[in-house]
Amino acid sequence: MEEYDLIIIGGGPAGLTAGIYAGRQGMNAVILERMTGAGSGYMVPLMENYPGFEVISGKELLEKMRKQVEKHIPIKNMEEVREISKNDPSGILLTTSKGEYKARSVMISTGSHHRRLNVPGEFEFLGRGVSYCATCDGPLFKGKNVIVVGGGNAAVQEAIYLKDLDCNVTLIHRRDQLRAEKYLQNKLKEHEIPVIWDSAVEEIKGELAVNSVSLLNRKSQEKKDFPADGVFIAVGEEPLNKVALTAGVELDNGGYIVTDKYQRTNIPGIYAAGDITGGIKQWVVACAEGAVAALIAFVEVAEESEIK
């Protein structure tokens, strides 16, 4: 059984930053990532608010971070952590898809995943017109009619990205105003992307592929079909908290991990950082939380060694 000072679960911005800090402190640490990359982080088309880069994609930034991490500690891809147990007094036990580990401390940075609309046709047409990633699938829809569903930063960013790819884009939002930051709203207007307000997608229709969506105006209750070759869904996220539940850490009403200002959970030796903790979901925040968690873990592991 491999043993570590710190095991970091998840290779997104929080986990990678924690890896850099843990490695620089000389901790025997590892990152366990259930995929080959950092999941939804790879889907961010463009960022213009990450310090040091005027414009950069999520994929490019994550690859830069991974290279930096690997100078200090290993990253094990395609290894999903399935259970965390503190029953062993000598450490924290982790069971993964490939084996077992023992750690003196653990940081959970499993992030979140895209929320579904849960409407007819969404699952049936996944990969045949329905997508949750403009970066991944947008180039397939050049010159075609697409809709983006949502009203937050992610939805507006995807709409702008698709417009720049020469797609005919319409934004569908269930309220009468957007939640996206003002800067993005201004860019949406500059790109002359129309918005259908107060409307919800009730069904995604098609034959072999998507050809329309059924919209319900939530104020007038009027229903209509709107032609579309592609449907890009960006209606928020839900926490990936399955492994956190096995550890018994405290969750809030939304299913996010509760931490103190040092990223400690209610279970000694277990920390959490990034989108899994809820709050403000920004890369720079996730990185900061990852740094804090790794530094505090280093201090507390060292103190525990002195006591022993």
Side-chain angles (χ1 to χ4, degrees):
M1 184 185 295
E2 295 182 36
E3 298 186 17
Y4 292 92
D5 295 328
L6 173 64
I7 292 180
I8 299 163
I9 306 173
L16 292 173
T17 305
I20 293 169
Y21 275 78
R24 286 173 57 86
Q25 296 293 328
M27 297 185 83
N28 177 24
V30 65
I31 295 175
L32 302 180
E33 165 58 47
R34 69 187 179 93
M35 302 173 72
T36 56
S40 60
Y42 270 42
M43 300 179 187
V44 178
L46 293 173
M47 286 189 291
E48 298 174 284
N49 59 358
Y50 192 87
F53 298 95
E54 288 189 14
V55 179
I56 191 167
S57 71
K59 184 175 185 293
E60 184 182 359
L61 182 54
L62 285 168
E63 287 177 350
K64 288 179 181 292
M65 294 173 72
R66 285 174 66 90
K67 286 181 181 179
Q68 190 174 357
V69 170
E70 288 171 336
K71 293 178 181 178
H72 303 287
I73 68 170
I75 301 172
K76 295 190 177 186
N77 295 315
M78 303 301 292
E79 186 156 6
E80 181 179 7
V81 178
R82 294 176 173 169
E83 185 177 2
I84 302 173
S85 172
K86 277 218 68 174
N87 292 333
D88 190 320
S90 64
I92 304 169
L93 301 180
L94 286 81
T95 303
T96 76
S97 55
K98 296 182 178 180
E100 293 184 335
Y101 296 84
K102 182 182 289 187
R104 300 174 71 184
S105 61
V106 169
M107 190 188 95
I108 303 173
S109 52
T110 45
S112 56
H113 68 151
H114 295 291
R115 181 175 288 125
R116 311 299 193 234
L117 292 176
N118 293 319
V119 298
E122 181 178 11
F123 176 78
E124 291 82 352
F125 290 108
L126 184 62
R128 293 188 291 131
V130 172
S131 175
Y132 301 91
C133 176
T135 308
C136 311
D137 302 321
L140 301 173
F141 293 88
K142 288 184 179 180
K144 296 184 178 181
N145 298 317
V146 302
I147 66 168
V148 176
V149 185
N153 287 347
V156 174
Q157 285 174 323
E158 298 233 320
I160 293 168
Y161 176 77
L162 290 165
K163 181 72 173 183
D164 287 339
L165 286 178
D166 199 30
C167 299
N168 302 314
V169 186
T170 301
L171 187 68
I172 310 292
H173 187 41
R174 66 199 311 270
R175 298 184 176 86
D176 58 6
Q177 58 183 355
L178 300 174
R179 293 178 288 107
E181 58 190 47
K182 193 66 176 177
Y183 172 77
L184 288 173
Q185 292 189 43
N186 289 338
K187 288 198 70 172
L188 189 76
K189 291 177 182 177
E190 289 171 11
H191 280 68
E192 298 182 342
I193 297 172
V195 181
I196 298 179
W197 302 102
D198 300 310
S199 296
V201 173
E202 285 210 317
E203 184 178 358
I204 300 170
K205 300 179 177 180
E207 295 179 4
L208 295 177
V210 171
N211 60 32
S212 68
V213 296
S214 177
L215 299 179
L216 171 68
N217 185 291
R218 299 174 70 239
K219 288 186 175 178
S220 68
Q221 296 301 302
E222 177 188 357
K223 294 185 179 181
K224 68 175 181 180
D225 282 351
F226 189 85
D229 301 301
V231 180
F232 290 84
I233 300 169
V235 292
E237 299 174 334
E238 296 175 334
L240 289 166
N241 59 14
K242 187 175 180 180
V243 71
L245 289 169
T246 69
V249 301
E250 182 184 356
L251 306 178
D252 65 16
N253 292 334
Y256 293 93
I257 297 176
V258 176
T259 68
D260 64 12
K261 67 178 182 179
Y262 297 114
Q263 306 307 132
R264 294 178 293 209
T265 70
N266 61 308
I267 306 292
I270 299 181
Y271 309 83
D275 285 3
I276 189 63
T277 65
I280 299 173
K281 296 179 181 178
Q282 293 289 307
W283 283 45
V284 69
V285 174
C287 291
E289 290 183 355
V292 170
L295 290 171
I296 296 301
F298 169 72
V299 170
E300 295 186 344
V301 165
E303 289 176 348
E304 182 182 316
S305 297
E306 290 177 3
I307 292 172
K308 289 181 179 179

